[in-house]
Amino acid sequence: MSGTGNSAACTGWDNSSCEGTQYCPPRCPRFVDNEGVPRIARRFESADFDAVVDMYDDLDSFSRTQGIPPTTRPQIERWISSLVENGWNLVIEDDNRIIGHAAVVPASSSAPELVIFLHQSVRNRGIGSELLKHLIAHADDQGHDGLTLNVSCGNSRAITVYENIGFDELERTRTDIEMELSMDEPIVDRVQLFPAQRDG
C-alpha cells in the first residue's frame, strides 16, 4: 500500500511492503505471532465486554498478580467497567474470543499506569510484546508523556521485557517494582513505523 491515501483497506497478511495510509492507527494492527498465526490488535469496543470478562474468568491462578485481575466474575465485570470508564483499552482476538487485553488508566494522566494480560493458552508467542508496542504507540498518539507500570519483583521475565523496551525503574519495594517509559525514548518512534520501514 502507498502512503498517498489511494486505499483505506489492507489486502492481506503479508504487510512487509505496506507504507500505511492516512487511515492507519498509530501502529499497524495486523501482525503474525511467533507460531505464524495472523492476529489483529485493536481498540476495545463495547461489544467486546463479555469476551474480555470471559478471558479473565478463564485465567489460571498463576496469571494473577498484585490482586488483579479479580477472581470472581462480578468483580471482574466491575474492574473492566472501571478500566473502560477511566482509561482506554486494547484487545487481541482469536476467532470469536479475546486472548489479550491491555488498559491504560487514568486517561487524564500525563503518565498513566498500564495493565496487560494474555490468556495462558497463547503465551510465549510474541503476542504480549506486540500488545505492549501497541500500547506505546497509542499512548504517544493520545498525547501522554509516559507510561508507568507495577510488576512483581519475582516476575523476572516481564521485568526483562520491560527493561528491553526502555522502561526505567522508579521505585522498588520488597514485593513490587514501579517502572516508567518516557515518550521521549527511541522505541516510541520505532513502534509507529510502517511495516515497510521496519528492520526484519
Side-chain angles (χ1 to χ4, degrees), residues 1 5-6 32 38 47 59 106 114 155 175 189 200:
M1 306 193 71
N6 292 336
V32 177
L59 278 187
L114 69 87
N155 194 344
T175 57
D189 291 329

Side-chain angles (χ1 to χ4, degrees), residues 55-57 59-72 75-76 78-80 82-83 101-105 113-118 123 148-152 155 162 176:
M55 183 195 90
Y56 283 111
D57 199 29
L59 278 187
D60 60 26
S61 60
F62 302 106
S63 301
R64 291 179 163 80
T65 180
Q66 301 169 320
I68 59 170
T71 55
T72 69
Q75 291 171 330
I76 293 168
R78 286 192 295 274
W79 181 61
I80 298 299
S82 176
L83 292 177
H101 171 245
V104 169
V105 289
E113 184 175 357
L114 69 87
V115 295
I116 183 168
F117 287 93
L118 293 181
R123 295 209 183 108
T148 61
L149 62 86
N150 282 280
V151 60
S152 169
N155 194 344
Y162 296 138
D176 304 320

Side-chain angles (χ1 to χ4, degrees), residues 17-194:
S17 62
C18 180
E19 297 176 356
T21 74
Q22 60 186 329
Y23 305 102
C24 291
R27 181 171 175 84
C28 181
R30 297 179 305 151
F31 70 101
V32 177
D33 72 17
N34 292 346
E35 294 190 3
V37 179
R39 306 279 186 195
I40 296 249
R42 61 171 176 78
R43 293 296 292 259
F44 171 91
E45 300 172 359
S46 58
D48 298 320
F49 185 86
D50 287 339
V52 171
V53 172
D54 287 344
M55 183 195 90
Y56 283 111
D57 199 29
D58 193 44
L59 278 187
D60 60 26
S61 60
F62 302 106
S63 301
R64 291 179 163 80
T65 180
Q66 301 169 320
I68 59 170
T71 55
T72 69
R73 192 171 184 93
Q75 291 171 330
I76 293 168
E77 289 173 347
R78 286 192 295 274
W79 181 61
I80 298 299
S81 294
S82 176
L83 292 177
V84 170
E85 182 179 335
N86 297 307
W88 49 268
N89 297 251
L90 303 175
V91 295
I92 294 182
E93 293 178 282
D94 180 29
D95 294 326
N96 293 324
R97 67 184 185 129
I98 299 295
I99 57 166
H101 171 245
V104 169
V105 289
S108 59
S109 173
S110 63
E113 184 175 357
L114 69 87
V115 295
I116 183 168
F117 287 93
L118 293 181
H119 191 268
Q120 60 269 13
S121 64
V122 294
R123 295 209 183 108
N124 304 314
R125 298 186 189 182
I127 297 171
S129 294
E130 181 66 22
L131 188 52
L132 184 56
K133 291 173 184 176
H134 280 271
L135 278 177
I136 294 167
H138 281 267
D140 186 55
D141 186 61
Q142 294 286 322
H144 296 298
D145 296 326
L147 285 173
T148 61
L149 62 86
N150 282 280
V151 60
S152 169
C153 290
N155 194 344
S156 57
R157 171 178 253 159
I159 293 167
T160 299
V161 169
Y162 296 138
E163 288 175 341
N164 289 343
I165 287 283
F167 281 84
D168 294 317
E169 183 177 318
L170 292 180
E171 184 178 352
R172 180 185 290 256
T173 67
R174 187 173 57 82
T175 57
D176 304 320
I177 302 172
E178 182 181 1
M179 305 180 82
E180 181 174 21
L181 175 75
S182 167
M183 291 294 113
D184 293 328
E185 289 290 328
I187 185 70
V188 176
D189 291 329
R190 288 200 306 270
V191 298
Q192 296 180 72
L193 292 175
F194 299 130

